[in-house]
Amino acid sequence: MPEQSPLIIDVAATTLSADDRRRLAHPLVGGLTLFTRNWESRAQLVDLVAEIKALRADLLVCVDHEGGRVQRFRSDGFTHLPPMRALGRMWMQDGRKGEGSGAMRALNAATATGYVLGAELRACGVDLSFTPVLDLDHGSSGVVGDRALHRDPRVVAALARALMHGLRQAGMANCGKHFPGHGFAAADSHVDLPVDERSLKAILADDAAPYPWLRSALASVMPAHVVYPRVDARPAGFSRRWLQDILRERLGFDGAIFSDDLSMEGARRLAGQPLGYADAALAALAAGCDMVLLCNQSLGEGRGLDELIDGLERALQQGHWQPDGAGEERRLALLPQTPPLPWDELMLQPAYMAALEQLA
């Protein structure tokens, strides 16, 4: 048995197939990411997560659920959360006074957003949402766009800390993304490999500034599929320089590190050569990731997921990859430590009702 379960995969539908169960039971698999295709209703989602946890209680059930255009579950009682940019705009103006007058209202709204987001997901059994976005709003990245809280890293850090406090009140950990910053590069790493030509000094003073400020509150971090050639020729998610030398050693981060989705175009080549899924996973793990995501590959016959699992198992057997017990501890630390409130009980909680009022 390996000492680490670093693979975060996906499933194809609203119930588990035999192939899903086989993959999720594999000891190298540590969790999965849910998508809109896995959603039909709250009752169905509760049943799906229960089925997953019955296979292995330690599986980490994740979702990209930020608010705005990145919110996987939007019906059957789920609150429609605003894009994160709305919190930044609230900070700047409360409609009554000058610039910055809405700071306290925005902080309260960010905490309420985190609480509602986390409590509703947890009521359905979901363990972790990949939020908050810490990218700065430079206005140049369409894929980031209104997902960013603000242009000023100080405002981003303050609002993100408040949002993470709300998540923690709901019993959910957090994931800051996309280190060291995806907001400056214009290209979309889903379909291209973005490049950011700035110096390390410039990046650390601006886009990456929230990470050391938040290091005591950040439970996990997801690096960007972006190349910063004045720092390293490899994308940040494949770079020991970024993940070990800078994020861990220089900035002092000691939480978990997820790769971003390895099926994205920004993760499909390294040093000019095409990467298979298993090779991409091995490169990310060697760089310092504790967990690697491969999304949307369960569709059809799921060959991509089988390639990933079989490739990592083969690398383990041949001694090309060694499990990291500390990485496994960091994965397990992201699991909620308290049972969630069932949905009907959550709806009656004064704290939940008060949070909804903050969002109105």
Side-chain angles (χ1 to χ4, degrees):
M1 291 287 290
E3 300 172 356
Q4 187 180 9
S5 302
L7 303 182
I8 308 297
I9 62 171
D10 69 308
V11 297
T14 54
T15 59
L16 297 183
S17 68
D19 281 335
D20 292 327
R21 295 189 190 93
R22 170 179 58 80
R23 295 179 188 121
L24 291 171
H26 196 286
L28 288 173
V29 172
L32 75 161
T33 305
L34 297 173
F35 292 90
T36 303
R37 68 172 182 272
N38 304 124
W39 163 263
E40 189 176 83
S41 67
R42 281 190 289 110
Q44 167 270 323
L45 181 60
V46 169
D47 288 345
L48 174 61
V49 176
E51 191 178 6
I52 291 163
K53 293 288 188 176
L55 288 172
R56 278 176 49 201
D58 73 295
L59 288 171
L60 187 66
V61 180
C62 309
V63 68
D64 261 328
H65 196 87
E66 305 165 6
R69 58 193 160 101
V70 182
Q71 180 171 339
R72 304 304 185 200
F73 315 135
R74 296 173 176 269
S75 57
D76 201 9
F78 268 90
T79 300
H80 287 212
L81 298 167
M84 293 298 99
R85 180 184 282 167
L87 295 170
R89 287 178 173 170
M90 186 185 295
W91 176 290
M92 297 306 295
Q93 180 60 258
D94 67 0
R96 295 188 293 275
K97 298 180 182 178
E99 187 173 284
S101 61
M104 297 311 298
R105 181 179 169 216
L107 289 171
N108 287 338
T111 300
T113 298
Y115 178 74
V116 169
L117 187 161
E120 291 182 353
L121 288 175
R122 290 219 55 218
C124 295
V126 178
D127 297 320
L128 178 71
S129 176
F130 295 121
T131 191
V133 171
L134 300 181
D135 301 322
L136 304 189
D137 190 1
H138 287 276
S140 52
S141 172
V143 71
V144 174
D146 64 2
R147 299 166 66 194
L149 287 158
H150 202 272
R151 170 62 184 87
D152 189 327
R154 298 167 298 179
V155 177
V156 169
L159 289 173
R161 184 181 293 275
L163 190 143
M164 291 189 292
H165 180 63
L167 288 172
R168 184 60 66 185
Q169 287 178 324
M172 181 175 282
N174 59 70
C175 181
K177 60 187 186 184
H178 305 83
F179 176 80
H182 200 320
F184 186 82
D188 178 353
S189 54
H190 292 85
V191 296
D192 201 351
L193 179 56
V195 177
D196 184 336
E197 299 280 0
R198 292 175 299 166
S199 68
L200 176 61
K201 181 179 179 180
I203 294 167
L204 291 180
D206 198 12
D207 291 62
Y211 290 89
W213 293 339
L214 295 172
R215 66 186 174 193
S216 64
L218 278 170
S220 64
V221 163
M222 180 179 289
H225 289 320
V226 176
V227 173
Y228 309 85
R230 294 180 65 182
V231 182
D232 194 345
R234 291 173 169 243
F238 296 139
S239 167
R240 287 189 64 84
R241 177 95 195 278
W242 276 115
L243 300 187
Q244 299 288 355
D245 299 345
I246 299 173
L247 180 60
R248 291 231 185 266
E249 298 298 328
R250 183 165 180 168
L251 304 185
F253 176 69
D254 61 2
I257 302 177
F258 289 92
S259 80
D260 205 345
D261 176 15
L262 296 179
S263 72
M264 292 164 58
E265 187 60 29
R268 304 301 293 129
R269 301 185 71 82
L270 189 60
Q273 299 299 312
L275 274 181
Y277 294 134
D279 288 338
L282 288 167
L285 291 167
C289 289
D290 300 305
M291 287 161 283
V292 292
L293 276 66
L294 184 61
C295 302
N296 299 312
Q297 299 304 306
S298 61
L299 304 175
E301 297 181 0
R303 290 177 181 172
L305 293 182
D306 290 333
E307 174 193 327
L308 174 69
I309 295 168
D310 293 346
L312 190 60
E313 185 172 43
R314 187 163 51 252
L316 175 63
Q317 293 169 349
Q318 296 174 350
H320 298 153
W321 172 70
Q322 296 297 321
D324 178 5
E328 180 67 358
E329 290 179 7
R330 289 188 284 265
R331 179 186 75 86
L332 294 173
L334 296 175
L335 290 165
Q337 303 302 304
T338 57
L341 281 174
W343 190 276
D344 290 345
E345 291 184 30
L346 175 65
M347 297 299 108
L348 299 176
Q349 291 294 309
Y352 178 76
M353 299 306 297
L356 288 180
E357 290 180 8
Q358 290 283 347
L359 299 181

